[in-house]
Amino acid sequence: MKKLYLIMDYNNKGAITEFEFMTIMRPWASFSATDINNDNELDIHELKTLIWLMDNEEPDDRRVQKDLKLIDEDGSGTIDRLEWIQYLASPDGEGAAFFDFNLKK
């Protein structure tokens, strides 16, 4: 992770702070940790685990269905990593506000 931080920081040139780096890496790593079958997409069960991981409490099924519809922009029924990050960094701040991130910045 330290090496990745140095790459993103352009070798200590101040392009990104360590806080900003961790703000990016937490949702990135959380996605990876919940992608059980490593297909780079989260199905509804994996999404439930992701929400549970991010919020520290088990979400009800209604919430998981609602979030799936919000995040799944292409209507595939799964969420890819780009959809997840776009949701968190959305201009309306819906994802960022929901999960207490400052990813948009």
Side-chain angles (χ1 to χ4, degrees):
M1 247 171 97
K2 185 73 173 169
K3 190 172 185 176
L4 182 57
Y5 170 70
L6 288 173
I7 291 168
M8 291 180 75
D9 189 38
Y10 295 103
N11 292 319
N12 290 318
K13 292 186 178 156
I16 188 171
T17 67
E18 192 168 340
F19 175 78
E20 291 166 338
F21 175 75
M22 292 310 295
T23 299
I24 294 167
M25 292 310 297
R26 182 173 178 220
W28 188 274
S30 297
F31 185 98
S32 296
T34 56
D35 183 16
I36 305 301
N37 60 3
N38 293 317
D39 65 353
N40 291 312
E41 295 183 343
L42 302 182
D43 63 25
I44 191 133
H45 305 291
E46 292 167 322
L47 177 61
K48 182 174 185 171
T49 303
L50 176 62
I51 294 168
W52 196 342
L53 178 66
M54 300 303 293
D55 284 351
N56 294 320
E57 66 179 62
E58 184 177 5
D60 63 31
D61 291 337
R62 194 171 48 232
R63 166 158 179 217
V64 178
Q65 288 286 343
K66 178 182 166 246
D67 286 353
L68 179 63
K69 288 179 184 175
L70 282 171
I71 302 169
D72 181 21
E73 290 188 9
D74 65 5
S76 65
T78 60
I79 296 170
D80 63 37
R81 191 181 306 269
L82 183 57
E83 287 173 325
W84 169 240
I85 298 300
Q86 285 176 330
Y87 171 70
L88 293 177
S90 62
D92 60 9
E94 193 166 342
F98 201 73
F99 288 107
D100 193 27
F101 284 115
N102 193 10
L103 194 59
K104 183 179 172 188
K105 179 182 171 198

